[in-house]
Amino acid sequence: MTVAPVLKAPLPPATREHLLSPVTHAALRLQNAISIASREFLAANGFVELLPPMLGPVTDPGVRGAKQLDVDFYGHRYKLMTSVILYKQASLLAFDRIFYLAPNVRLEPLETATTGRHLVEFHQLDVEMRDATRDDVLALLQGLMRHIVAHVLRECTAELAFLGRDPAAFAALLRDDFERMTHAEAVRRLQGLLHGQSPDAEIDWYGEKLISEQTDRPFFITDYPKGSRGFTDGESRTEPGTLRNFDLIAADGYGELASGGERTHEYRRLIERMRESGENPSKYAWYLELARDGGLPASAGFGLGIERVTRYLGGLETVWQATAYPKLPGVLAP
């Protein structure tokens, strides 16, 4: 079996140097175009943009190895948002289709500082659709990515040229449907590549890189095993133990861009899933009250990492190049 290499991406320079860098300028112009294109596409498809909450009594429990950051909220322990997934579900009581451009804070493990793909402070395009299936969301996300890329290719030719990113790298993305493989299929592929991926866990970072180096466009990994993700990911009614979720993985080794799927929403099922995952339901009182009193609607959605998409489209070495004020695990920053 292969041993995953230790990744050693460079750390950011001082703030002045970073903000004066032409690479930073080009990356942030790409990012601006990504935001414009995202809002344009979602508005055209009937989505309402809401301003995201930044703290609450609880946040998403399903983050990948990261810790939550507590704040004192008038004598009560609140959390900075690691993800607005609980609030996305609640917002569907007001609108059928919503999105946030949401800031997130996750205290990632120290060893992720030099992976080139982790930030403590980052932003997600968080999208949720009422009465939607995973297939609905996969089609929406593929369309969104194509719209973003077409917009960037049209509006950011100078920036792409400066960064050395060949527009031909996105030809297959614009032409062909994104491949879909189950988690079990991904595990088999990795075993064929002599990578020791656990069949019961999320695909690890090096595994994502290995698979994505074999393809010319982003692809979906679906059907993660229960226990590998948090209680919000909906379990299949026909295949117990399998989650109706997915990851979107970029081509050329750039890794995960988005995660999503169908949601657990029934009150009793939420209680069961919380207990199965070791969560205390009493912590989620406001959320469970919504599920009990009239119910949360069935839904599906995703969170798309803005800095990670910027890195992929710009062909950047590291994700901190896609933010003006990078904050990496364990590295003091402004």
Side-chain angles (χ1 to χ4, degrees), residues 211-281:
I211 296 180
S212 71
E213 287 173 344
Q214 318 299 316
T215 185
D216 58 1
R217 62 193 185 280
F219 60 94
F220 296 111
I221 300 178
T222 67
D223 298 326
Y224 280 74
K226 189 169 77 168
S228 65
R229 292 283 169 91
F231 66 78
T232 55
D233 284 23
E235 184 176 0
S236 171
R237 296 184 183 277
T238 58
E239 298 179 60
T242 299
L243 300 175
R244 294 280 297 167
N245 61 358
F246 69 89
D247 281 344
L248 174 65
I249 312 296
D252 303 321
Y254 284 95
E256 178 195 327
L257 298 178
S259 291
E262 296 174 16
R263 311 302 186 193
T264 310
H265 63 95
E266 305 98 329
Y267 175 76
R268 291 186 180 278
R269 191 71 185 112
L270 281 167
I271 295 288
E272 291 172 1
R273 289 294 307 282
M274 286 177 182
R275 288 174 174 161
E276 287 173 350
S277 60
E279 290 287 336
N280 181 357

Side-chain angles (χ1 to χ4, degrees), residues 82-230:
T82 59
S83 163
V84 292
I85 185 168
L86 305 180
Y87 293 89
K88 286 198 298 181
Q89 286 183 274
S91 294
L92 294 178
L93 295 171
F95 301 101
D96 289 345
R97 296 183 170 205
I98 63 99
F99 73 97
Y100 301 110
L101 190 56
N104 295 271
V105 175
R106 298 181 185 178
L107 297 181
E108 298 284 356
L110 292 175
E111 60 268 23
T112 63
T114 57
T115 63
R117 50 178 289 168
H118 289 89
L119 293 169
V120 169
E121 181 182 76
F122 64 98
H123 296 78
Q124 286 191 153
L125 182 68
D126 270 297
V127 177
E128 200 75 11
M129 301 168 61
R130 182 172 182 146
D131 297 324
T133 67
R134 183 182 63 194
D135 286 347
D136 295 330
V137 170
L138 294 182
L140 180 78
L141 182 50
Q142 177 177 286
L144 172 63
M145 285 297 299
R146 284 178 166 172
H147 185 82
I148 289 171
V149 169
H151 181 89
V152 166
L153 292 179
R154 185 173 64 250
E155 301 296 331
C156 299
T157 54
E159 288 78 13
L160 291 171
F162 175 78
L163 294 171
R165 191 62 156 146
D166 185 352
F170 307 109
L173 180 154
L174 294 170
R175 182 187 65 238
D176 302 325
D177 286 340
F178 298 177
E179 183 184 2
R180 302 181 188 185
M181 69 182 79
T182 66
H183 178 273
E185 290 168 342
V187 170
R188 287 195 291 272
R189 290 195 191 193
L190 287 170
Q191 290 172 345
L193 294 168
L194 303 181
H195 179 65
Q197 170 65 47
S198 168
D200 301 315
E202 292 185 304
I203 304 300
D204 61 44
W205 303 317
Y206 187 59
E208 287 179 4
K209 181 177 186 296
L210 283 175
I211 296 180
S212 71
E213 287 173 344
Q214 318 299 316
T215 185
D216 58 1
R217 62 193 185 280
F219 60 94
F220 296 111
I221 300 178
T222 67
D223 298 326
Y224 280 74
K226 189 169 77 168
S228 65
R229 292 283 169 91

